[in-house]
Amino acid sequence: QICLRKLPQGDLDVLFSNIDDIIKVNSRLLHDLQETASREEEQVQLIGNTFLEFQEELEQVYKVYCASYEQALLLVETYRKEPELQREIQGIIEAVLPQAGPSGLSFLLVIPLQRITKYPLLLQKILENTLPDASAYAVLQRATSALQDVVTNINEYKRRKEVASKYTKVEPLSLRERLARINTHTLSKKTTRLSQLLKQEAGLVPRTEDKEFDDLEEKFHWVSLCVTELKSNVAAYLDNLEAFLRFRPQDYNLEIPGGPVVQYCYLARDLQLQAFPEFKQQLEAQVWQPLCSLAKALAGPQNLIKKRLDKLLDFERVEEKLLEVGSMTYEEEAARHTYQALNSLLVAELPQFNQLAMRWLSQILCAFVTLQRDLAKQVLQRAEDSLAQLPHHHLSEPAFRKLVEDALGQTSHQLHAFQENFEKVLPPPTTQPLLPGAERQVQALLSRYGPGKLYQVTSNISGAGTLDLTLPRGHIVALLQNKDTKGNSSRWLVDTGGHRGYVPAGKLEVYHVVPTEEELRGQARPHKDSQHQTPEPTSAPVPSVPTVTQVVAVYPFVARSSHEVSLQAGQRVTVLEAHDKKGNPEWSLVEVNGQRGYVPSSFLARAPSPAPWGWSLPS
């Protein structure tokens, strides 16, 4: 029986379904029928009454078993493909029930179906042998009719489940697979449904009202919304818990010897290694996994409700045609029966499903609250020894709160004062070096967007999407919008002067425009054509502003003749003329370490010398 032990519980549930419930009901029925043997005069009437009493129970248990019977047969067929497993199953059945013969498991599974169908036949036989004027005749008639209704209802329920099983399967289809399923028939059906829906929206035809189903559907969607929201919240909670567990300040040297810090580190390490990991493990097992299973269980009914709406449109169209023409095709009749089957099944089972889902959801919430309570209790228990050694353990809770508030207020005041002093000695904004030959691009962006919109790329950007830009470090861009079309503020829309696209916001920083010498001179003295005379400034000190003649060599350059001069990357250079003797701006006359010569202009970048600054606080 080694192979049999490997069978999953799910297979056993499909094979035998609710056979235990069937055995219990039939055992009680057999007992009550045996009790009638001692009362021969009233036995026939008692038999009829007994079946009437068991009518509802028989229908409930047998319809569940019969609905899963087809799946059980499919599973039996798969077992036949495994010879060793099939031999073990057959050997057990032959030892317990020799009359089963070679059919084995299939013979056992069909017995309950045969039994429920024989009950109305047996009652009919008793009725035929009972005189019409006998007192038990009417009771037998009602019992026979009741058991026939049971068989009919079971068959109808089985048919509904077969229809529903076709639509509850959620298949993950690709776009190509979905397109492959489109044909003239499906297009015709969808067009007819859309036409029916548009006519209803326009008020040309009445909409079928079903308040009972609408109420059930509203409650189901409410339950679905609760499950979705709770799943999202628990996922965020687990993420935050994971981030919290990664943060371990007690593992670092806090450079505070002795005192409460030692107790804190001991307690935090104990909680980090045992209490919180256990809590996270229990949370995943008792809250997250059941919640995911519940969300998965909602997918089938959700798809069934959606299909019911499609079939309702088909049903309404067929009903209109039936009133107009008085007949319908076989396909239309099948569509009509499909809607009726889906609607009847949903109306019958949605209340039970909603109730079960609510109970399931309630248990998940209770488990979550219980785990939180147990965690708090465990933390307090572990902290008792450490709390006794803290300096303020003797204080009451209100006094401790007051102590903490005062300490935080004093620290906040000190931090605010330090911030004010720090802002007074902040260094002036530094200017990033431009890429070679980028002056024209900067001027174009500056004239179009202004200095407040210019940003510089801090590291190389490789665009991944079709609208993403690929830019080198140091490139200047103009900001167009600080978010993308989906509202994501981490992707900015920028203009490079020739292309527009998205770049990561974290790789941009504000570009501080450096004024040219002409602009500085214009700021220092009024224009000649100014109508108002501005008095010359007195001996007020003029702040030192870096000049643009001081540049930096971005790339190394090796002189090839006596007219050129060599450069090292990062070396400071003084530009004497920004062109050669012929006026060509591609070469510049520079002075480096007392030597003069020409270098490529594109190898230079403006970089003013920052004014010296220090950290000394103002007196």
Side-chain angles (χ1 to χ4, degrees):
Q1 301 181 14
I2 296 177
C3 293
L4 288 177
R5 293 194 187 97
K6 295 181 180 179
L7 290 179
Q9 183 62 37
D11 282 14
L12 299 178
D13 293 339
V14 172
L15 280 175
F16 303 109
S17 187
N18 63 331
I19 192 66
D20 292 336
D21 296 332
I22 291 178
I23 292 174
K24 291 177 183 178
V25 173
N26 279 281
S27 298
R28 289 170 39 229
L29 175 62
L30 177 61
H31 177 269
D32 290 355
L33 290 175
Q34 289 174 340
E35 289 289 326
T36 62
S38 60
R39 304 168 64 179
E40 296 183 0
E41 296 180 357
E42 301 175 340
Q43 184 178 13
V44 177
Q45 185 170 355
L46 291 174
I47 289 175
N49 288 329
T50 300
F51 275 101
L52 287 174
E53 292 174 3
F54 279 84
Q55 173 189 356
E56 185 175 348
E57 284 189 81
L58 290 171
E59 180 177 333
Q60 292 298 325
V61 295
Y62 273 102
K63 73 179 183 181
V64 174
Y65 183 87
C66 294
S68 61
Y69 175 70
E70 297 296 333
Q71 289 182 326
L73 290 184
L74 292 176
L75 198 56
V76 171
E77 288 299 321
T78 61
Y79 291 161
R80 288 176 179 168
K81 298 177 182 179
E82 301 181 26
E84 187 176 353
L85 177 61
Q86 181 64 21
R87 282 195 299 271
E88 285 193 19
I89 294 175
Q90 191 65 28
I92 294 173
I93 294 175
E94 290 178 356
V96 177
L97 195 67
Q99 61 268 33
S103 56
L105 193 54
S106 300
F107 174 80
L108 294 178
L109 295 177
V110 79
I111 290 177
L113 276 69
Q114 295 174 339
R115 178 181 292 272
I116 190 61
T117 55
K118 286 180 179 179
Y119 285 150
L121 298 177
L122 293 173
L123 288 172
Q124 182 65 35
K125 199 68 176 176
I126 297 174
L127 182 64
E128 291 174 359
N129 290 277
T130 304
L131 297 175
D133 56 351
S135 59
Y137 192 83
V139 176
L140 281 174
Q141 273 188 322
R142 291 201 307 273
T144 304
S145 177
L147 267 294
Q148 289 173 347
D149 291 341
V150 167
V151 175
T152 302
N153 293 339
I154 290 173
N155 288 331
E156 179 62 21
Y157 179 80
K158 184 173 178 292
R159 187 181 70 85
R160 293 174 185 173
K161 292 292 287 186
E162 289 173 352
V163 172
S165 64
K166 176 183 176 183
Y167 300 109
T168 50
K169 297 176 182 177
V170 181
E171 299 181 76
L173 301 177
S174 63
L175 179 60
R176 178 175 295 181
E177 290 171 335
R178 292 179 185 275
L179 292 175
R181 292 191 175 189
I182 297 178
N183 50 43
T184 55
H185 179 68
T186 57
L187 287 175
S188 175
K189 283 201 305 184
K190 293 184 182 299
T191 304
T192 304
R193 290 170 183 169
L194 181 59
S195 173
Q196 184 72 14
L197 189 61
L198 291 176
K199 287 192 292 184
Q200 289 179 356
E201 293 294 333
L204 300 178
V205 295
R207 189 193 303 269
T208 301
E209 298 290 340
D210 191 341
K211 190 174 185 308
E212 182 181 11
F213 175 80
D214 292 342
D215 292 341
L216 292 173
E217 182 187 15
E218 182 180 359
K219 187 171 183 179
F220 173 80
H221 285 305
W222 181 81
V223 173
S224 301
L225 180 62
C226 291
V227 172
T228 303
E229 289 293 328
L230 181 60
K231 186 179 178 183
S232 175
N233 291 336
V234 172
Y237 185 91
L238 286 171
D239 290 340
N240 293 332
L241 182 60
E242 183 68 27
F244 170 74
L245 292 176
R246 287 197 300 266
F247 180 67
R248 300 182 177 184
Q250 69 277 3
D251 292 344
Y252 298 92
N253 183 13
L254 300 180
E255 299 181 355
I256 306 177
V261 174
V262 176
Q263 297 299 323
Y264 164 77
C265 291
Y266 174 78
L267 175 61
R269 191 174 294 107
D270 183 33
L271 296 176
Q272 196 88 22
L273 295 177
Q274 190 170 356
F276 288 116
E278 288 178 0
F279 169 73
K280 181 174 181 291
Q281 185 178 3
Q282 293 175 347
L283 189 67
E284 291 176 343
Q286 300 180 29
V287 176
W288 177 247
Q289 292 179 2
L291 193 57
C292 291
S293 299
L294 177 57
K296 187 177 180 181
L298 294 173
Q302 285 172 343
N303 204 39
L304 207 57
I305 290 173
K306 180 182 176 182
K307 287 296 180 181
R308 184 252 182 201
L309 177 60
D310 294 340
K311 299 304 178 182
L312 174 60
L313 296 173
D314 297 341
F315 174 79
E316 291 171 335
R317 182 69 188 93
V318 172
E319 290 294 307
E320 287 180 14
K321 181 180 178 181
L322 196 60
L323 290 175
E324 295 172 0
V325 182
S327 63
M328 54 184 169
T329 64
Y330 175 79
E331 184 180 355
E332 290 171 339
E333 185 177 4
R336 189 166 176 263
H337 288 323
T338 299
Y339 164 73
Q340 291 173 337
L342 286 178
N343 188 70
S344 300
L345 185 67
L346 286 171
V347 170
E349 295 197 350
L350 264 185
Q352 301 175 20
F353 185 88
N354 288 338
Q355 185 178 6
L356 180 62
M358 285 295 297
R359 193 182 310 127
W360 197 345
L361 189 61
S362 176
Q363 291 174 351
I364 292 174
L365 288 172
C366 288
F368 183 72
V369 172
T370 303
L371 289 175
Q372 290 274 12
R373 182 196 63 194
D374 293 344
L375 175 65
K377 185 178 179 181
Q378 186 178 5
V379 170
L380 289 176
Q381 288 176 350
R382 291 173 180 266
E384 283 182 357
D385 296 337
S386 299
L387 290 175
Q389 301 180 35
L390 294 178
H392 305 293
H393 71 277
H394 61 280
L395 294 178
S396 63
E397 183 175 348
F400 183 75
R401 286 181 177 272
K402 182 68 168 57
L403 177 66
V404 172
E405 289 174 0
D406 292 343
L408 290 177
Q410 183 180 1
T411 306
S412 176
H413 178 72
Q414 294 174 351
L415 183 61
H416 182 67
F418 174 78
Q419 180 183 1
E420 290 180 348
N421 293 332
F422 182 77
E423 289 175 351
K424 294 178 183 178
V425 296
L426 280 177
T430 58
T431 305
Q432 309 91 329
L434 288 175
L435 290 176
E439 286 83 358
R440 284 187 185 176
Q441 179 225 1
V442 174
Q443 291 300 325
L445 294 175
L446 186 63
S447 62
R448 184 172 183 180
Y449 298 102
K453 292 287 187 179
L454 265 57
Y455 286 79
Q456 190 168 32
V457 179
T458 58
S459 60
N460 294 335
I461 298 175
S462 298
T466 54
L467 297 179
D468 293 344
L469 296 177
T470 298
L471 299 176
R473 178 184 178 185
H475 201 90
I476 305 299
V477 296
L479 176 64
L480 300 178
Q481 193 169 6
N482 60 353
K483 57 184 178 181
D484 60 11
T485 55
K486 296 182 180 180
N488 183 8
S489 58
S490 64
R491 294 176 74 237
W492 287 3
L493 180 64
V494 300
D495 184 2
T496 65
H499 300 281
R500 294 186 177 187
Y502 292 100
V503 296
K507 294 189 176 182
L508 297 178
E509 65 177 11
V510 177
Y511 176 70
H512 303 287
V513 181
V514 180
T516 62
E517 286 185 349
E518 291 76 8
E519 292 173 343
L520 292 173
R521 293 195 202 99
Q523 294 174 3
R525 63 174 181 270
H527 296 288
K528 293 180 180 180
D529 57 352
S530 176
Q531 296 180 359
H532 302 281
Q533 297 296 326
T534 304
E536 295 257 346
T538 58
S539 58
V542 180
S544 61
V545 180
T547 63
V548 296
T549 56
Q550 285 290 331
V551 298
V552 173
V554 181
Y555 304 107
F557 176 70
V558 179
R560 297 165 296 181
S561 66
S562 59
H563 299 289
E564 299 174 353
V565 64
S566 299
L567 298 176
Q568 298 293 330
Q571 190 174 18
R572 288 195 171 274
V573 180
T574 301
V575 178
L576 302 177
E577 294 180 359
H579 53 80
D580 60 10
K581 293 181 179 180
K582 296 182 181 180
N584 183 8
E586 295 182 0
W587 290 87
S588 297
L589 179 63
V590 300
E591 182 176 349
V592 183
N593 296 331
Q595 296 182 356
R596 296 188 178 189
Y598 287 97
V599 296
S601 301
S602 60
F603 280 43
L604 306 176
R606 289 187 296 174
S609 302
W613 63 281
W615 286 90
S616 59
L617 296 178
S619 58

